[in-house]
Amino acid sequence: MVVNVSYNFSISFSEAAYNHFFALRIIPKTDERQKPVYIDTNLSDTWEDTDGFGNLSVLGKIAKPHDSFEVSLKSAVEINEKQKPTDKPLDVYLFESRFTGYSDEFRGYANTLRPPTNKLQKALYLTKTVYGDFEYKKQSTDVNSDINHLLAQKSGVCQDFSHLLVALLRYNGLYARYVNGYISGDGETHAWVEVYIDGEWIGLDPTHETIVSDLPYVKVAHGRDFADCTVNRGVFAGGGEQKMDINVYVARGEQ
């Protein structure tokens, strides 16, 4: 299966920005499950870097004053739904992290659950539990929210659902990592989870209560939590107030 991805990001500044350094994680990953066969962006004079989690970043600098910054990506990705990533897990995927800390509130919630002992069934049970116990509600949290916000207000977005599932999986002794990428439809980027079972990373989406298999899920980055997978990050002088717009479109293509 070939999946076509269109990613468009723009930010406008009320005052000119300059000496603008940016780091973008937008290029689809290459692993056993997926392989980009076509990549085209509007970026120039950039360079690439790979972090300790194997995530590719596109880095660049705009020195001169500018009122806007626009990024576009078009990519075709070949998906092999019968394969899963098999890279060995890092020990950090067993422990709490910045957004997945084991607070008293978390432990209180986690200790009420009774997952089965089988690893896969345990992971599926926890995915179903997060999906059923919390409401998806746009703008109910922000990028700095940890799992305590979700536990307190019982609502959140895909980032929050994924952080909670990652924490629950690790709390129950399973290697788990946060994933950022693109999914079928028209919207923004999406977050889900991968759990390591019997030598393979299995994708789980607690926002939709589904296993990531042959569906058009295109992975960009993975790590301990959102902080390791930020799509766009930048620092600059000036700029004033900023207005951001993101649009992602993903659809099955032709072989």
Side-chain angles (χ1 to χ4, degrees), residues 73-91:
L73 163 78
K74 292 188 181 300
S75 180
V77 182
E78 187 175 357
I79 304 289
N80 185 343
E81 61 267 30
K82 296 181 180 179
Q83 298 292 324
K84 298 179 178 64
T86 59
D87 54 293
K88 292 187 180 300
L90 303 175
D91 287 343

Side-chain angles (χ1 to χ4, degrees), residues 10-195:
S10 66
I11 180 170
S12 58
F13 305 102
S14 61
E15 301 175 6
Y18 57 96
N19 288 338
H20 181 175
F21 295 86
F22 59 85
L24 306 169
R25 291 191 185 96
I26 59 174
I27 306 297
K29 252 187 180 300
T30 297
D31 59 26
E32 292 94 333
R33 180 181 176 271
Q34 66 176 50
K35 179 178 71 174
V37 293
Y38 170 78
I39 296 174
D40 181 49
T41 76
N42 68 329
L43 300 170
S44 59
D45 298 324
T46 59
W47 61 98
E48 296 180 350
D49 183 51
T50 302
D51 65 20
F53 299 99
N55 301 321
L56 178 68
S57 293
V58 179
L59 310 174
K61 175 186 177 182
I62 306 174
K64 63 182 181 181
H66 53 286
D67 296 323
S68 64
F69 176 56
E70 298 181 359
V71 176
S72 66
L73 163 78
K74 292 188 181 300
S75 180
V77 182
E78 187 175 357
I79 304 289
N80 185 343
E81 61 267 30
K82 296 181 180 179
Q83 298 292 324
K84 298 179 178 64
T86 59
D87 54 293
K88 292 187 180 300
L90 303 175
D91 287 343
V92 292
Y93 295 144
L94 272 180
F95 306 114
E96 55 189 304
S97 60
R98 173 183 171 186
F99 289 100
T100 63
Y102 299 166
S103 64
D104 290 342
E105 292 78 11
F106 168 79
R107 292 179 188 274
Y109 173 75
N111 290 336
T112 66
L113 307 180
R114 298 293 181 266
T117 56
N118 176 273
K119 290 183 179 180
L120 179 58
Q121 294 305 314
K122 179 185 297 184
L124 294 175
Y125 167 87
L126 294 173
T127 302
K128 181 178 181 179
T129 299
V130 173
Y131 174 81
D133 284 356
F134 301 92
E135 177 187 3
Y136 180 87
K137 188 175 181 181
K138 290 184 176 181
Q139 299 180 339
S140 56
T141 56
D142 59 40
V143 295
N144 295 310
S145 300
D146 60 19
I147 55 178
N148 291 319
H149 289 79
L150 178 63
L151 291 169
Q153 60 189 28
K154 303 298 183 183
S155 63
V157 296
C158 61
Q159 173 180 314
D160 308 298
F161 281 47
S162 296
H163 278 151
L164 180 56
L165 180 56
V166 164
L168 288 170
L169 290 166
R170 293 174 183 168
Y171 191 71
N172 282 275
L174 297 174
Y175 288 96
R177 61 191 184 192
Y178 180 97
V179 180
N180 194 48
Y182 312 121
I183 63 169
S184 179
D186 192 0
E188 298 185 8
T189 54
H190 187 59
W192 62 94
V193 175
E194 286 182 339
V195 60

Side-chain angles (χ1 to χ4, degrees), residues 162-237:
S162 296
H163 278 151
L164 180 56
L165 180 56
V166 164
L168 288 170
L169 290 166
R170 293 174 183 168
Y171 191 71
N172 282 275
L174 297 174
Y175 288 96
R177 61 191 184 192
Y178 180 97
V179 180
N180 194 48
Y182 312 121
I183 63 169
S184 179
D186 192 0
E188 298 185 8
T189 54
H190 187 59
W192 62 94
V193 175
E194 286 182 339
V195 60
Y196 191 75
I197 297 176
D198 296 334
E200 295 181 325
W201 288 100
I202 299 172
L204 301 171
D205 184 351
T207 307
H208 298 105
E209 194 193 355
T210 187
I211 296 179
V212 177
S213 56
D214 61 336
L215 298 175
Y217 282 73
V218 177
K219 180 178 175 180
V220 171
H222 62 233
R224 293 163 296 181
D225 55 31
F226 168 77
D228 296 325
C229 305
T230 310
V231 176
N232 53 74
R233 181 175 292 168
V235 293
F236 46 81

